[in-house]
């Protein structure tokens, strides 16, 4: 029972930031009116994109709530693979096989990126204004018995070309105080949850994140960026935030960037800042996120090769899950008004008249774009309904990771090492591409120890205790 109410709370928060559901009962009349206005503006923007694309109807997404519905979500493995043939990441558009790293880097990678840009996630415009980072405060604190330095930062985006919209990126950087010299940092896309009071029944769902203790003890720093501070998580917000600023408040064109690429853009700007901060080893910065922010973490890692390591949490459809799988959440769920803002406008075409099988690329190629850098695909095993359950299609994401393997191998790296779906809590961490499905629900928390164990092969740290020993 406790578990269920905790999940309900988590969903409420997620929905409150996304506008996906209607938690009206929790809202004041003013909030409710604002929420409805936002939904109406979202539907209007969604319609205008359909008009630009000359689409009149879209197929409905999978319905997770009514097993009798014609569009009821499919959880039958026998019906999950209508299009088993995936685009080959190692065949050029001209039909030639890619047999050398050189051809991958000089030709094939760019072809795949062009397809994802145009059809799936959208293009980052050429003229995105500059970001000026301001350190708002620096404080010495003790977290989990570890002395740390906490920096609050704001990235002010130059809005002189369109002062009606101002954009400020919120970022927090925490580094262990007792480690000399630059430290590696994990950057997380953070849900900006109001933390419940410590005595609230659901408080344990949102503890002061204890994985940070693990990180600090090993000598890592930790940073959180708030994606919704620079790009709202709904369709109405596409004329606001960084996307709206560049478009001067006008709606998107079909190949303009969606929220996932905008969020990833912000992570790249945070990395620009880290390159200027002497406490951070900018060559050893990783990216992590869960669910919609797991999608954003994958996009960040795939596009910005400065990120050294990736921790991709329960990213599902639009993330590591194969679009061509008809299991759990579908392409059609992300072409509807609840999720289309994450994607390029052009992606709508694949919810009608086209299908997932018409996409020139699939999720395995996003994972391939991360190669040869170490990439950890993380999932919470199915333990309930919705995102807590099979909705994210753990197996379809495993299949994508397997299909990304040839690119890792071409670049001299080790893939998952198996094509067999491993049991829950079994870590595949011998390769440069890693996988672990953990028990404990829709979170990344239980996978931090396995991630850090695997990451220690790549990321060099000095723990505060080693530092103290050296000093003696
Ligand atoms: C919904 C949505 C998913 C998304 C998730 C989340 O479940 O269907 O695609 O990942 O919300 O971000 O919480």
């Amino acid at each position: 029972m406790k578990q269920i109410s905790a999940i309900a709370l988590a969903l409420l928060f997620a929905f409150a930031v996304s506008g996906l559901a209607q938690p009206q009962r929790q809202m004041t009349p003013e909030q409710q009116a604002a929420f409805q206005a936002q939904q109406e503006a979202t539907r209007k923007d969604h319609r205008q994109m359909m008009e630009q694309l000359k689409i009149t109807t879209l197929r409905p997404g999978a319905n997770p709530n009514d097993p009798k519905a014609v569009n009821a979500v499919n959880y039958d493995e026998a019906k999950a693979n209508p299009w088993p043939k995936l685009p080959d990441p190692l065949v050029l558009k001209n039909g030639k096989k890619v047999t050398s790293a050189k051809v991958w880097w000089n030709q094939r990678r760019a072809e795949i990126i062009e397809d994802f840009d145009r059809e799936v996630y959208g293009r980052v415009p050429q003229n995105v204004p500059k970001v000026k980072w301001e350190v708002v405060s620096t404080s010495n604190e003790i977290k989990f018995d570890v002395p740390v330095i906490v920096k609050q930062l704001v990235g002010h985006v130059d809005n002189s070309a369109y002062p009606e919209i101002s954009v400020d990126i919120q970022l927090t950087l925490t580094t262990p105080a007792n480690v000399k010299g630059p430290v590696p940092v994990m950057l997380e896309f953070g849900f900006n949850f109001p933390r419940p009071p410590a005595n609230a029944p659901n408080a344990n769902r949102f503890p002061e994140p204890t994985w940070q203790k693990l990180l600090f003890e090993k000598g890592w720093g930790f940073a959180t960026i708030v994606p919704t501070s620079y790009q709202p998580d709904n369709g109405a917000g596409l004329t606001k935030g960084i996307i709206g600023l560049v478009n001067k408040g006008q709606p998107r064109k079909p190949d303009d960037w969606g929220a996932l690429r905008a969020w990833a853009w912000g992570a790249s700007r945070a990395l620009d800042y880290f390159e200027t901060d002497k406490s951070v080893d900018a060559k050893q910065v990783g990216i992590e996120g869960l669910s919609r922010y797991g999608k954003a973490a994958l996009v960040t890692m795939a596009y910005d090769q400065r990120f050294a390591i990736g921790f991709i949490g329960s990213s599902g459809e639009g993330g590591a899950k194969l679009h061509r799988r008809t299991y759990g959440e579908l392409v059609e769920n992300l072409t509807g008004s609840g999720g289309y803002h994450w994607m390029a406008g052009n992606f709508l075409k694949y919810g009608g008249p086209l299908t997932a099988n018409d996409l020139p690329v699939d999720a395995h190629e996003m994972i391939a774009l991360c190669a040869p850098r170490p990439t950890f695909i993380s999932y919470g095993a199915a333990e309930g309904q919705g995102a807590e359950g099979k909705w994210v299609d753990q197996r379809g994401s495993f299949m994508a990771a397997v299909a990304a393997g040839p690119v890792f191998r071409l670049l001299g790296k080790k893939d998952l090492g198996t094509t067999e779906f491993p049991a829950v809590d079994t870590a595949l961490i011998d390769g440069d591409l890693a996988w672990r499905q953990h028990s404990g629900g829709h979170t990344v928390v239980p996978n931090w120890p396995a991630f850090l164990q695997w990451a220690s092969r790549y990321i060099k740290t000095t723990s505060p205790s080693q530092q103290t020993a050296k000093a003696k």
Side-chain angles (χ1 to χ4, degrees), residues 82-105:
W83 304 299
K85 202 173 164 323
L86 301 177
D88 191 333
L90 293 181
V91 174
L92 287 159
K93 293 268 181 200
N94 65 14
K96 287 212 181 97
K97 269 201 157 351
V98 179
T99 53
S100 72
K102 199 168 151 217
V103 176
W104 168 260
W105 288 117

Side-chain angles (χ1 to χ4, degrees), residues 141-452:
E141 298 178 19
I142 306 281
K143 286 209 163 164
F144 316 108
D145 305 327
V146 184
V148 292
I149 300 168
V150 182
K151 278 186 194 154
Q152 297 293 346
L153 293 127
V154 175
H156 302 287
V157 183
D158 177 0
N159 67 342
S160 48
Y162 193 70
E164 286 88 335
I165 295 178
S166 59
V167 181
D168 287 317
I169 308 174
Q170 286 171 29
L171 176 70
T172 309
L173 169 66
T174 307
T175 50
N178 290 346
V179 180
K180 253 225 205 90
V183 294
V185 165
M186 279 307 288
L187 173 61
E188 177 179 75
F189 285 110
F191 283 95
N192 197 14
F193 291 154
R195 214 166 278 292
N199 60 356
N202 297 312
N204 63 347
R205 179 79 190 188
F206 304 102
E208 254 299 329
T210 47
W211 69 85
Q212 290 185 23
K213 179 178 169 67
L214 261 177
L215 281 160
F216 298 144
E217 280 175 352
K218 287 180 188 287
W220 287 78
F222 183 76
T224 309
I225 189 165
V226 180
T228 48
S229 65
Y230 54 97
Q231 186 56 49
D233 191 5
N234 54 67
L238 289 168
T239 48
K240 307 189 178 89
I242 187 64
I243 297 177
L245 173 59
V246 178
N247 283 342
K248 300 195 162 65
Q250 294 305 305
R252 294 188 300 170
K253 296 184 298 307
D255 66 346
D256 275 354
W257 49 345
L260 292 175
R261 281 219 74 188
W263 291 336
W265 165 86
S268 292
R269 302 293 70 80
L271 185 47
D272 296 346
Y273 166 77
F274 296 147
E275 287 175 344
T276 68
D277 186 321
K278 290 193 176 53
S279 66
V280 177
D281 179 354
K283 294 243 157 21
Q284 299 201 93
V285 172
I287 185 76
E288 175 261 316
L290 172 76
S291 211
R292 68 201 58 192
Y293 296 154
K295 308 181 210 295
L298 180 58
V299 173
T300 305
M301 182 72 184
Y303 276 93
D304 189 341
Q305 296 187 63
R306 295 174 302 162
F307 282 92
I309 195 161
F311 184 5
I312 315 302
S314 299
S315 54
E317 173 55 33
K321 180 211 167 212
L322 290 173
H323 298 292
R324 281 169 174 74
R325 287 262 299 177
T326 51
Y327 188 102
E329 186 167 30
L330 302 176
V331 163
E332 285 81 354
N333 293 88
L334 297 202
T335 60
S337 62
Y340 80 105
H341 63 282
W342 292 332
M343 316 300 282
N346 269 331
F347 192 69
L348 262 68
K349 296 183 298 190
Y350 300 92
L354 303 177
T355 69
N357 195 37
D358 296 308
L359 278 164
V361 278
D362 212 318
H364 62 306
E365 289 166 302
M366 278 303 279
I367 301 173
L369 291 179
C370 303
R373 292 160 296 144
T375 305
F376 189 110
I377 310 294
S378 166
Y379 270 89
E383 286 179 7
Q385 300 300 312
E388 294 283 342
K390 296 179 269 188
W391 185 241
V392 292
D393 189 12
Q394 294 83 348
R395 185 184 289 269
S397 309
F398 178 78
M399 290 164 70
V402 168
V407 177
F408 278 80
R409 292 202 302 275
L410 180 76
L411 302 181
K413 297 293 169 180
K414 256 179 98 180
D415 65 5
L416 293 179
T418 180
T419 56
E420 210 163 295
F421 193 43
V424 175
D425 293 333
T426 302
L428 299 179
I429 52 173
D430 292 338
D432 303 290
L433 182 55
W435 165 274
R436 186 169 182 268
Q437 203 189 166
H438 60 75
S439 40
H442 192 55
T443 160
V444 290
V445 173
N447 261 356
W448 273 106
F451 170 80
L452 289 173

